[in-house]
Amino acid sequence: MIILGNFTTVDNIKALFYTSSSEMEEFINGFYVYILLPIILVVVYVFILLKFRGFKYKRIPYCNFIAIFCLLISFALSYLKVYNSSAYYSGKNLMNITLRQHFLKEHPLSLYYRVYEFGIIMNKFGKYNKEKKAFSFGVINKKEVGKPELVVLVIGERIRYSNWGINGYKRSTSTNLDNLSNLISFDRHYSNGNSTAASIPLLITQATPQKPEIAYSEKTIVSLFKEAGYETVWISNQNIFDYINNKDEADRLFELYRKKSTDLDIIPVFNEVLNKKEFKKRLIVINMIGGHGKIPENFNLYKPNNSKENYPVTIENAPIFINNYDNMIRLQDFVLGKIINLVQKENKSSVFMFTADHGCNLFDDSQALFGYGSQNPTEKETHIPLFIWGSSKYIEENAEKFDNLKKHKKYLTTNNDLFYTLADLASIKYTDFKKNQSIADSTYSVYKERYVYVNGNAMKFNSK
């Protein structure tokens, strides 16, 4: 409530349900001030119970009636608030709106109601398991020549657009990417969710905020490439498989997060994968730990930061957390630069794509917002980087596609487009392919509006 300015959301519950010990440790280090207060309150409460357990008291006359009367007054005031709002003209049941919006979804009932909603959502999506196992994309051109030999998709964690030097940031946080030729950075690319649990299923499948069930009834981009004759490899530095249970889709899986590694540890594993030449065509998916990971000391350029001391997350400490974040971006830039350089040395027809699951708030515009996953997504939580790079050989063979990417650099794009864009860049044709959703196609349809998947619903994004 203090940090994000809202009550508990379904996405908060999802994050808690799927969290790891390293994320718990990170959270406690930053929010220990807020965690100490309820512990003190519980201890004091238990002490009072023990001290006064023999205390005799008389029931206040009519206390039940007083409690009911107070509750009715509260409900009447909430109803009046709805009556004087735009919801009055929605045609919906105003009593129902009052109960849900001003009682069940507000503190303290919001915690219990959101857990109930989370259970309903998971039960609903769990019914698609059989459908998912039998699903096939129906690739039409499996044996067609001309496909790139190497396709690399890298997914960042908690990475926002605005803190990259390549995107015009005041600090030089992307010196490696700055010097790369054939790299396109898109200006107006957005996530479809402001939390990992909401965004990852929509990023690697054909699901959208309006049709999230597709993430549970269909397979991911990995299976599409397998059907097209690619060997598929997943290098994971954070466990994101539980969200849609897709761990068994890749031919080879490297789970680096089990060893508490940093994103630097991706480089030798990626190099090892490249050195194995059994397959002619390969898709390599890498998900980084990004904003949740440790920052090696030689990347801590901006100081003061919390590499040596844990500072509480408060607006007074905003410069420290911005320094931490910018140092983390420097690390991401280094790893991405190394990956592209290794791909370049292969001297093959290759294409590389990087984006993120979501961004985050960093006390922007002197506001007390920090982190991500709020019920009212902000620009910083959803505006994320999109980098696409092609080898000289790839561009030579796919000049029109690469020109289209350049033309669409300033267009409004979202993670909804990436499934179709990757398929198009790899020249994969399948039954439900939508070429007007590929950023690499001349017929790409520009969005007039965009949606964010929040609390199990599609919310039309409003920058205000």
Side-chain angles (χ1 to χ4, degrees):
M1 289 164 64
I2 295 168
I3 296 298
L4 289 174
N6 59 247
F7 303 113
T8 306
T9 68
V10 172
D11 297 322
N12 299 154
I13 300 299
K14 279 184 185 176
L16 186 62
F17 188 79
Y18 291 120
T19 196
S20 63
S21 57
S22 59
E23 283 186 350
M24 288 181 190
E25 184 183 345
E26 175 197 336
F27 186 86
I28 291 168
N29 287 341
F31 295 89
Y32 61 86
V33 171
Y34 305 103
I35 293 171
L36 284 174
L37 180 60
I39 292 173
I40 293 168
L41 287 174
V42 168
V43 170
V44 170
Y45 182 59
V46 171
F47 173 77
I48 290 170
L49 288 179
L50 290 171
K51 188 169 179 62
F52 292 99
R53 60 184 171 179
F55 183 73
K56 293 181 180 179
Y57 63 94
K58 292 181 180 179
R59 178 184 286 273
I60 300 170
Y62 309 111
C63 66
N64 291 339
F65 294 105
I66 293 169
I68 292 169
F69 178 74
C70 290
L71 193 64
L72 289 173
I73 291 293
S74 173
F75 190 85
L77 290 172
S78 297
Y79 183 84
L80 188 64
K81 187 177 178 181
V82 173
Y83 183 84
N84 291 323
S85 72
S86 59
Y88 178 76
Y89 303 98
S90 66
K92 296 178 180 177
N93 187 310
L94 298 187
M95 297 291 282
N96 187 37
I97 292 174
T98 304
L99 180 64
R100 284 178 178 272
Q101 298 298 331
H102 297 283
F103 280 85
L104 296 179
K105 292 183 180 179
E106 290 197 3
H107 184 75
L109 295 179
S110 60
L111 172 64
Y112 309 105
Y113 185 70
R114 295 305 190 186
V115 170
Y116 163 75
E117 282 188 316
F118 173 64
I120 294 294
I121 290 169
M122 296 309 293
N123 181 58
K124 174 187 172 183
F125 291 153
K127 294 176 181 178
Y128 290 107
N129 286 338
K130 287 184 180 178
E131 191 176 333
K132 185 174 184 175
K133 285 180 181 177
F135 179 80
S136 171
F137 286 100
V139 173
I140 299 163
N141 60 337
K142 293 181 183 179
K143 296 181 180 179
E144 184 179 305
V145 295
K147 292 186 175 74
E149 295 171 84
L150 183 58
V151 179
V152 181
L153 169 64
V154 183
I155 304 168
E157 166 62 50
R158 200 169 73 97
I159 307 295
R160 62 192 217 167
Y161 172 91
S162 57
N163 288 59
W164 290 79
I166 196 172
N167 293 332
Y169 187 48
K170 61 185 178 181
R171 286 174 165 174
S172 299
T173 54
S174 55
T175 52
N176 291 281
L177 296 188
D178 291 342
N179 298 318
L180 282 173
S181 57
N182 303 339
L183 181 77
I184 305 168
S185 177
F186 290 77
D187 297 342
R188 299 172 62 209
H189 186 73
Y190 290 87
S191 174
N192 298 121
N194 65 339
S195 68
T196 306
S199 60
I200 286 293
L202 309 188
L203 198 164
I204 58 177
T205 70
Q206 296 185 105
T208 66
Q210 294 91 332
K211 295 183 177 179
E213 66 277 3
I214 290 175
Y216 302 87
S217 61
E218 294 184 5
K219 293 178 181 176
T220 71
I221 191 75
V222 172
S223 290
L224 174 69
F225 274 75
K226 280 176 77 170
E227 281 188 41
Y230 280 77
E231 186 212 18
T232 55
V233 181
W234 193 303
I235 302 171
S236 180
N237 209 15
Q238 184 188 24
N239 183 15
I240 60 174
F241 301 112
D242 291 340
Y243 298 131
I244 52 174
N245 194 22
N246 65 311
K247 196 173 186 177
D248 60 347
E249 286 191 43
D251 294 313
R252 286 196 284 161
L253 174 63
F254 297 86
E255 297 177 273
L256 307 187
Y257 57 87
R258 294 183 179 277
K259 301 174 184 177
K260 291 189 175 181
S261 56
T262 73
D263 280 331
L264 286 177
D265 296 304
I266 291 170
I267 299 167
V269 178
F270 182 74
N271 192 35
E272 177 191 331
V273 170
L274 289 183
N275 287 333
K276 292 192 175 181
K277 312 291 184 185
E278 298 100 329
F279 288 84
K280 190 175 181 183
K281 298 196 301 291
R282 273 181 292 188
L283 167 73
I284 303 174
V285 179
I286 302 169
N287 68 277
M288 305 171 83
I289 195 168
H292 290 311
K294 299 285 185 183
I295 304 169
E297 192 55 42
N298 55 327
F299 287 91
N300 281 316
L301 174 66
Y302 303 114
K303 297 177 181 180
N305 54 61
N306 66 359
S307 61
K308 300 286 176 66
E309 180 182 350
N310 289 323
Y311 292 89
V313 178
T314 62
I315 195 167
E316 290 77 21
N317 289 333
I320 293 168
F321 287 94
I322 292 168
N323 287 342
N324 290 334
Y325 194 85
D326 290 345
N327 288 334
M328 183 271 297
I329 295 295
R330 291 182 69 247
L331 173 62
Q332 304 298 287
D333 168 70
F334 179 83
V335 175
L336 295 180
K338 285 288 185 186
I339 289 171
I340 294 174
N341 287 332
L342 288 169
V343 173
Q344 208 165 18
K345 287 177 183 176
E346 291 288 296
N347 197 26
K348 294 178 178 178
S349 176
S350 308
V351 64
F352 164 97
M353 178 186 285
F354 170 82
T355 192
D357 54 354
H358 55 79
C360 66
N361 300 299
L362 282 177
F363 303 110
D364 303 288
D365 304 319
S366 300
Q367 295 183 19
L369 290 178
F370 180 86
Y372 56 90
S374 61
Q375 63 183 4
N376 295 304
T378 66
E379 180 81 3
K380 299 295 185 181
E381 284 178 85
T382 54
H383 193 190
I384 55 175
L386 172 61
F387 306 135
I388 298 180
W389 174 90
S391 68
S392 298
K393 191 174 180 181
Y394 177 83
I395 295 171
E396 186 181 326
E397 295 171 355
N398 299 273
E400 186 181 349
K401 288 179 182 178
F402 215 74
D403 284 342
N404 288 332
L405 290 173
K406 290 177 181 176
K407 287 175 186 174
H408 299 148
K409 170 181 160 57
K410 295 184 182 297
Y411 283 27
L412 174 61
T413 59
T414 77
N415 278 353
N416 278 351
D417 305 315
L418 299 191
F419 193 102
Y420 304 102
T421 302
L422 268 177
D424 192 13
L425 290 172
S427 299
I428 298 172
K429 296 181 178 70
Y430 63 100
T431 309
D432 294 326
F433 177 67
K434 299 174 184 176
K435 69 174 186 175
N436 66 340
Q437 272 198 254
S438 166
I439 308 169
D441 193 274
S442 59
T443 63
Y444 174 69
S445 298
V446 183
Y447 289 95
K448 293 181 180 177
E449 55 194 17
R450 65 184 181 90
Y451 289 82
V452 182
Y453 187 57
V454 180
N455 275 328
N457 295 295
M459 176 189 287
K460 187 185 289 186
F461 183 82
N462 183 343
S463 59
K464 296 179 181 179

